[in-house]
Amino acid sequence: MGGNEQNEIYKLIESFSSDIIKMDFPEIAVILAAGHGKRIKSQKSKMLHNIWGIPTVERVYNACKNGISEINVIVVVGIKAKDVILAIGKRERTKFAYQETQNGTGHAVQVALERLKDDKFEGIVYVLPGDMGLINSETMKQFRDEFIKTNSDMTVLTGIYEGDPKNNSYGRIIRVKDKDRKGNPSGKDLGKVIEIMEYKDILSLPEDKPYEIEYKDKIYSFSKNELLNNNEFNSGVYAFRYKKLIELLHSLSNNNVQNEIYITDLISLFNRNNYSVTAVSPKEQYVLMGFNNKSVLREMEALARKQVYDKLKDIIEIDDPEDFFIDQSVVDKIIEMDKKNIPLDITIGKGTFIGKGVKLNYNLTLEKNVFVSGNVIFGKNVSISQNVHLSCFSDQTFEIGDNVEILSGDIVKGNIIIGEEARIESSVNMTGSNEYPLRIGKRVLVKGTSYIFGSIIENDVHIEHSVLVKKIVDKLIKRDGTIQPIKFYLPMPEGIDAVENIE
């Protein structure tokens, strides 16, 4: 990477970092988001792959912020640093740190805490990988509570691997056995965490020689096979007392197969200094999932979808639990609506996508493959047929009145108001811009192959097979009391001189 690009990253870091990290609430989460993830086989940073519509690093960030009130956050960036910074954006009590060279997790934490520069800080430091996109606020709260309750100096969040040990590439949690090498009982030390050993380091051990570790003047022996079949793994989530962490952090070495500085080596250092090390597991194992390839990412997406379905399945109707998307902000609003104890009568068809900003309403039907995104506000008793596209930009509003029907295949986008009891039949395309908003009156019928842009249509008008661009369509009542329909209205063509018949 050239010097100019590095300078640009440092400027971006200063621009997007909060001026002050709040020290009167002494807890900091360090999110490790510097890696690219070669095995994901993508030009995009692994940290920016979406799970349920949100980049995985942002999901980790949200879990910290929502689980631990007013926590400070330092996000460590490296490869694709600019993309990750822009994805998180500027937020309160949040700083970015730049790991120029990928030299391991321990080094990343060193880089992060250099951004703190506060000798008076005596709080808690949490460390989390940025690809753990299913971790949630409940897990973070539980982890914090356990750390404080046990009065530990260091705590590791661990999981239990349920698959084939050969596929377990996580670091193993090595605990004190019931007896040491000489057969002496371990006593009250039984089950205490000795160290975490990385999978690649286990593979490099000789087959015929045991691995021996000293813990409190006793030596414990483990065979290579025993270590490989150990199913308790390191999730990569830690909590530390800051003063003890900073005391030992720069004692880490890169004496391992990867020649990297591992944060896992801190366990041995803490034990050597008689600092307490504990390990806890979350209530749900899935929250510990990280990903290195596309197939695992798809599994995480499926788990996220199932969580959403489980929250909503008794509130609204979802035709296909395995094929739908509802943005989390919309999910939260549906749950709020349900608390009013009024039946929602909302039906979501197979393949339907409901994006951020959408406001649903009572007695709403969205049929198969409907796409809705942006500030789209539904009235009551609205029916949207299959394959309809409804959207607007973030600075626009799209309002749909009560008792409106929009039939299959229609595309309706932009700054729009559709009045009550309007009916938009199939093969219609309608658009409104900020300069030329589209206003459809009450009880308007639009049918046939019609296109309407930036127009004002008065109440009760019937439009069929017409192209209306920046027009005002009045409600014209004929002598017999009926309303004049607009049929086959086509504007004069432009560029006709450039078109000729093929002889």
Side-chain angles (χ1 to χ4, degrees):
M1 184 185 294
N4 289 339
E5 189 172 351
Q6 284 186 335
N7 290 337
E8 187 181 342
I9 290 169
Y10 279 115
K11 286 178 182 177
L12 200 65
I13 282 172
E14 291 308 314
S15 174
F16 278 79
S17 292
S18 300
D19 293 334
I20 299 171
I21 282 191
K22 191 173 181 180
M23 289 297 101
D24 56 344
F25 192 84
E27 298 189 53
I28 294 174
V30 175
I31 299 175
L32 308 181
H36 182 203
K38 294 178 182 177
R39 282 183 283 172
I40 195 71
K41 295 184 179 179
S42 172
Q43 296 292 329
K44 183 165 61 174
S45 166
K46 179 170 77 164
M47 307 301 164
L48 298 182
H49 281 77
N50 285 352
I51 297 173
W52 205 247
I54 301 173
T56 180
V57 66
E58 186 176 353
R59 292 178 70 92
V60 176
Y61 181 96
N62 292 341
C64 295
K65 282 286 189 178
N66 297 331
I68 303 174
S69 177
E70 299 192 59
I71 193 171
N72 308 291
V73 179
I74 301 174
V75 182
V76 182
V77 296
I79 296 170
K80 303 286 183 180
K82 290 187 284 188
D83 296 341
V84 176
I85 293 168
L86 293 172
I88 296 292
K90 187 160 187 173
R91 308 199 189 194
E92 288 186 356
R93 300 186 302 279
T94 301
K95 284 184 180 290
F96 293 93
Y98 183 38
Q99 188 184 21
E100 292 183 39
T101 304
Q102 310 307 294
N103 198 21
T105 52
H107 178 250
V109 176
Q110 291 172 356
V111 169
L113 295 184
E114 284 172 7
R115 297 282 287 153
L116 186 56
K117 295 179 181 175
D118 193 317
D119 296 332
K120 296 178 182 178
F121 181 68
E122 295 184 357
I124 303 169
V125 176
Y126 305 92
V127 178
L128 303 95
D131 68 341
M132 194 180 284
L134 295 180
I135 196 165
N136 52 33
S137 56
E138 293 81 10
T139 300
M140 286 306 299
K141 185 178 185 305
Q142 176 206 352
F143 186 52
R144 175 184 185 268
D145 291 347
E146 287 289 335
F147 179 71
I148 293 171
K149 185 174 74 175
T150 56
N151 197 30
S152 302
D153 297 314
M154 175 181 180
T155 297
V156 186
L157 189 65
T158 70
I160 305 300
Y161 191 84
E162 296 174 349
D164 186 338
K166 294 176 184 176
N167 298 326
N168 180 5
S169 59
Y170 292 101
R172 297 340 193 231
I173 303 293
I174 302 178
R175 293 180 181 265
V176 173
K177 295 171 132 182
D178 57 347
K179 293 181 180 179
D180 68 7
R181 183 180 62 179
K182 295 180 179 179
N184 299 315
S186 55
K188 64 180 181 180
D189 289 335
L190 176 65
K192 288 188 176 177
V193 178
I194 305 176
E195 69 176 10
I196 296 171
M197 193 168 190
E198 297 297 335
Y199 176 63
K200 289 182 179 179
D201 290 325
I202 296 173
L203 290 179
S204 69
L205 293 174
E207 299 286 346
D208 56 349
K209 186 178 178 183
Y211 179 70
E212 296 183 336
I213 323 169
E214 184 176 349
Y215 182 81
K216 293 188 178 179
D217 300 324
K218 291 183 179 180
I219 295 175
Y220 294 90
S221 178
F222 300 84
S223 69
K224 181 177 180 177
N225 194 53
E226 195 175 4
L227 294 172
L228 285 172
N229 286 292
N230 177 357
N231 67 345
E232 186 179 16
F233 66 88
N234 171 34
S235 71
V237 178
Y238 313 91
F240 301 93
R241 299 287 171 190
Y242 172 75
K243 288 292 185 183
K244 290 172 179 174
L245 171 62
I246 208 71
E247 172 193 336
L248 300 176
L249 186 60
H250 289 277
S251 300
L252 294 173
S253 74
N254 62 351
N255 183 23
N256 51 62
V257 173
Q258 296 288 89
N259 290 316
E260 292 185 350
I261 299 173
Y262 291 150
I263 194 171
T264 50
D265 291 342
L266 282 168
I267 292 180
S268 298
L269 290 175
F270 269 61
N271 283 328
R272 222 172 290 156
N273 285 270
N274 291 317
Y275 296 153
S276 60
V277 180
T278 58
V280 297
S281 288
K283 293 176 181 176
E284 302 286 350
Q285 289 293 310
Y286 70 81
V287 301
L288 303 181
M289 287 184 73
F291 63 95
N292 285 317
N293 54 50
K294 290 179 170 63
S295 61
V296 175
L297 182 63
R298 282 195 293 273
E299 288 177 31
M300 294 172 74
E301 175 78 6
L303 283 165
R305 182 183 298 107
K306 184 179 184 304
Q307 291 170 50
V308 171
Y309 178 74
D310 287 344
K311 287 179 182 178
L312 300 181
K313 64 184 179 183
D314 294 322
I315 302 174
I316 65 174
E317 290 185 37
I318 298 174
D319 286 350
D320 188 340
E322 296 183 358
D323 191 3
F324 74 98
F325 177 85
I326 305 175
D327 183 82
Q328 187 59 51
S329 63
V330 181
V331 172
D332 294 340
K333 288 173 185 173
I334 291 171
I335 292 169
E336 280 182 32
M337 290 172 70
D338 181 58
K339 290 176 182 176
K340 297 176 182 178
N341 292 320
I342 301 172
L344 273 60
D345 291 319
I346 294 173
T347 300
I348 307 298
K350 175 182 171 65
T352 285
F353 179 102
I354 303 173
K356 188 175 182 179
V358 176
K359 292 181 175 63
L360 306 183
N361 213 326
Y362 298 96
N363 196 23
L364 169 66
T365 298
L366 303 176
E367 292 185 5
K368 183 179 178 181
N369 295 331
V370 169
F371 178 94
V372 192
S373 187
N375 301 316
V376 180
I377 303 168
F378 287 95
K380 297 175 182 176
N381 312 314
V382 171
S383 176
I384 310 295
S385 296
Q386 62 185 5
N387 302 317
V388 168
H389 178 111
L390 308 173
S391 68
C392 64
F393 292 122
S394 59
D395 61 340
Q396 297 176 330
T397 302
F398 180 170
E399 297 181 31
I400 300 171
D402 295 345
N403 305 301
V404 166
E405 286 184 90
I406 300 177
L407 301 191
S408 60
D410 290 343
I411 299 173
V412 190
K413 300 191 294 186
N415 186 348
I416 297 172
I417 296 176
I418 299 177
E420 297 173 8
E421 298 181 44
R423 179 179 169 89
I424 315 299
E425 294 196 359
S426 300
S427 302
V428 173
N429 189 323
M430 304 196 303
T431 312
S433 67
N434 290 344
E435 186 178 2
Y436 296 102
L438 176 61
R439 300 294 181 254
I440 304 291
K442 298 177 181 178
R443 298 173 298 280
V444 166
L445 171 65
V446 183
K447 62 186 296 186
T449 306
S450 295
Y451 173 77
I452 304 175
F453 168 76
S455 298
I456 300 171
I457 315 296
E458 290 198 353
N459 297 342
D460 302 305
V461 171
H462 171 166
I463 296 168
E464 184 175 349
H465 291 299
S466 297
V467 175
L468 300 168
V469 178
K470 294 185 286 189
K471 302 295 183 186
I472 295 174
V473 180
D474 295 324
K475 176 182 177 181
L476 182 61
I477 302 176
K478 298 192 290 187
R479 289 180 183 177
D480 61 2
T482 61
I483 299 168
Q484 173 66 54
I486 310 299
K487 295 185 178 181
F488 309 106
Y489 180 91
L490 298 175
M492 292 297 295
E494 290 186 27
I496 196 169
D497 294 340
V499 179
E500 57 183 290
N501 293 327
I502 296 176
E503 298 296 337

